[in-house]
Amino acid sequence: MTLNSTHDSRRESWVDSANRTETDFPLQNLPIGAFSSPARRGPSLGVAIGEQIVDLGALSAANLLPGRIADACCTQNINTLLALGPSAWSGLRQQLSELLGEDTCPPGPQRDRVAACLVPQSQATMLLPAAIGDYTDFYASIDHAGRVGAMFRPDQPLLPNYKWVPIGYHGRASSIIISGTDVRRPRGQAKGDAGTPHFGPSRQLDYELELAALIGPGNRLGEPVPVATAPEHLFGVLLLNDWSARDIQSWEYQPLGPFLAKSFATSISPWVVTWDALAPFRIPAAKRPAGDPAPLPHLADANDALHGGLDLHFEILLRTARMSAAGLPSRKLAEGRFATMYWTFAQLLAHHTSNGCNLRPGDLLASGTISGPEPEACGCLLELTARGTRPVTLPNGESRAFLEDGDEVVLRGWAQAAGFRRIGLGECRGTIFPARE
């Protein structure tokens, strides 16, 4: 992936809010999502620029987008655009960068036509960006896997297969929800003190900080995708919170893995940051410790080893109902980086298709919980509180071992590097509501 004028940190937009230092959405980002607003009929595709949204359907109607890209942007989700592939995505990005750039779209009739397609984000309701047909959750953080494994298997935190094969399971795509949607505490079976199960609301509800990649062009059934060409199938990334009921999970997960403990809700952020926008933040894949096996040939690629990592930063914030009522700000619980992940997204995709499994536009691949080696880099409460034995103390005196009703969790992410403009992933937000009677 090469750098071009769309990544130039010196360029500014004529949309003033896109030039503010703190914005997640400068001219160099241009993430894509779906939204509705009182000013538009039905759902539309849009691109975030500062505090505004560029309505892609309106741009198409104004003849400001070319051919097949214009047709793909006149839909209610990005699936048609996903299927077009990297050349079309790059073409759309280049066109948008020129239409929104101060240096490439001077005052005049064309700028006025683009300005007429802007919608304030404050007036928009964000929707799921894609029709997600399948969702696969991986376990790509060795720090997370090792820390959690030690809680349940002190003598063998990592099972023998972990360093050889990306571990994953199929999740429930129908319960993926957009950021801001309320999360209902699930009910389920959990092991009781006497060893027999009981059914009721989860008492150990947790969040999981994850990054998800949205699939563009798929592959035919029976035709694996090599690591070297996997990026051609990756459209972009977004934040994901895979809410987890730990007490239900520990009772049900053997021998087939998570089921009801995960399928009640998975939140995603609304803006998909494209693979093109992430080009300045591509770094070498995390170096494996001495003595760890090298990936098998079907999971190895020299270019992926040099550029397969992503230098993304994250933070997790919590605000309880009492904190909100008192006007207190959220408390940062943890922070982390994607650079420490054991497997790259290209490896995850290649492994997923290595048996001939076919992926389709709109499928979602999640990284699994993002954790680092430092104590402050725990991506979930299960790790942060050592399975509830070391609760977190909050500024108002409350403590949390696991999530309580009324708690709001916010995930944030961004990318920054010397010589380039900081770009953000936005946020993924959710509030816990009581279980239904």
Side-chain angles (χ1 to χ4, degrees):
M1 193 168 292
T2 56
L3 301 178
N4 55 44
S5 61
T6 67
H7 305 103
D8 188 344
S9 62
R10 298 167 296 180
R11 296 185 64 228
E12 292 192 337
S13 173
W14 51 264
V15 179
D16 291 338
S17 59
N19 302 322
R20 296 170 186 165
T21 304
E22 71 277 8
T23 184
D24 275 348
F25 309 123
L27 183 63
Q28 292 75 12
N29 193 346
L30 304 178
I32 299 179
F35 73 100
S36 64
S37 75
R40 300 292 191 266
R41 291 184 179 179
S44 301
L45 297 186
V47 166
I49 180 73
E51 296 176 356
Q52 301 288 323
I53 298 173
V54 186
D55 187 330
L56 295 183
L59 277 186
S60 299
N63 296 317
L64 292 169
L65 295 178
R68 60 174 187 160
I69 294 177
D71 294 338
C73 290
C74 291
T75 56
Q76 296 184 0
N77 58 54
I78 64 174
N79 289 59
T80 302
L81 179 63
L82 295 175
L84 294 183
S87 62
W89 308 335
S90 296
L92 175 60
R93 176 178 169 82
Q94 186 70 49
Q95 179 73 354
L96 290 170
S97 182
E98 293 177 3
L99 291 175
L100 295 166
E102 177 69 49
D103 57 335
T104 50
C105 189
Q110 179 163 276
R111 182 185 288 191
D112 292 342
R113 291 163 66 199
V114 179
C117 300
L118 296 179
V119 177
Q121 290 196 37
S122 61
Q123 297 178 13
T125 299
M126 299 308 299
L127 309 170
L128 288 175
I132 301 170
D134 279 299
Y135 160 46
T136 302
D137 195 25
F138 283 95
Y139 201 45
S141 168
I142 194 169
D143 295 298
H144 172 68
R147 197 177 283 127
V148 172
M151 297 177 189
F152 297 92
R153 299 180 304 275
D155 296 333
Q156 191 181 33
L158 292 178
L159 294 175
N161 62 350
Y162 186 87
K163 295 180 179 181
W164 292 96
V165 57
I167 305 299
Y169 72 95
H170 292 285
R172 183 72 180 170
S174 62
S175 55
I176 293 178
I177 54 178
I178 197 66
S179 171
T181 306
D182 298 335
V183 177
R184 184 72 64 176
R185 182 178 295 274
R187 290 176 172 270
Q189 277 196 34
K191 186 178 181 180
D193 295 336
T196 55
H198 62 84
F199 182 84
S202 170
R203 299 171 185 169
Q204 297 181 353
L205 191 56
D206 201 355
Y207 57 78
E208 287 187 345
L209 166 66
E210 302 195 26
L211 187 71
L214 202 58
I215 299 299
N219 59 301
R220 293 181 180 178
L221 184 66
E223 296 184 4
V225 175
V227 177
T229 60
E232 298 173 16
H233 299 262
L234 295 169
F235 175 74
V237 301
L238 39 75
L239 295 167
L240 182 144
N241 187 342
D242 197 25
W243 306 94
S244 299
R246 301 300 186 185
D247 45 354
I248 297 173
Q249 183 177 354
S250 64
W251 174 245
E252 74 176 3
Y253 85 103
Q254 296 188 47
L256 295 181
F259 186 44
L260 300 182
K262 301 276 193 174
S263 62
F264 60 95
T266 300
S267 299
I268 61 172
S269 54
W271 296 110
V272 187
V273 176
T274 65
W275 216 246
D276 269 353
L278 294 170
F281 313 104
R282 301 288 293 275
I283 58 175
K287 188 175 181 180
R288 296 194 167 198
D292 280 14
L296 293 177
H298 74 291
L299 294 174
D301 177 73
N303 191 58
D304 188 58
L306 288 174
H307 307 289
L310 293 171
D311 193 9
L312 299 179
H313 303 255
F314 307 97
E315 62 181 11
I316 305 167
L317 302 104
L318 172 70
R319 185 163 71 163
T320 71
R322 281 176 52 189
M323 292 169 66
S324 180
L328 296 175
S330 299
R331 153 79 187 276
K332 184 167 72 173
L333 295 182
E335 57 190 14
R337 292 180 63 195
F338 199 73
T340 63
M341 302 299 277
Y342 200 75
W343 300 99
T344 69
F345 267 120
Q347 289 174 313
L348 298 183
L349 191 151
H351 174 65
H352 202 314
T353 64
S354 62
N355 68 340
C357 174
N358 57 316
L359 300 179
R360 297 170 295 185
D363 285 355
L364 203 65
L365 305 187
S367 63
T369 303
I370 301 167
S371 295
E374 307 85 2
E376 66 274 14
C378 293
C380 60
L381 284 173
L382 181 70
E383 293 179 68
L384 191 64
T385 69
R387 208 178 176 187
T389 61
R390 296 197 301 266
V392 174
T393 301
L394 301 172
N396 64 345
E398 290 183 274
S399 64
R400 287 292 184 273
F402 292 99
L403 298 174
E404 301 290 341
D405 293 344
D407 288 352
E408 179 188 56
V409 178
V410 180
L411 310 181
R412 291 178 181 157
W414 65 93
Q416 59 188 33
F420 295 97
R421 186 69 192 269
R422 174 194 177 278
I423 66 172
L425 302 178
E427 63 179 32
C428 182
R429 181 183 297 266
T431 301
I432 305 302
F433 274 58
R436 294 192 184 278
E437 295 296 331

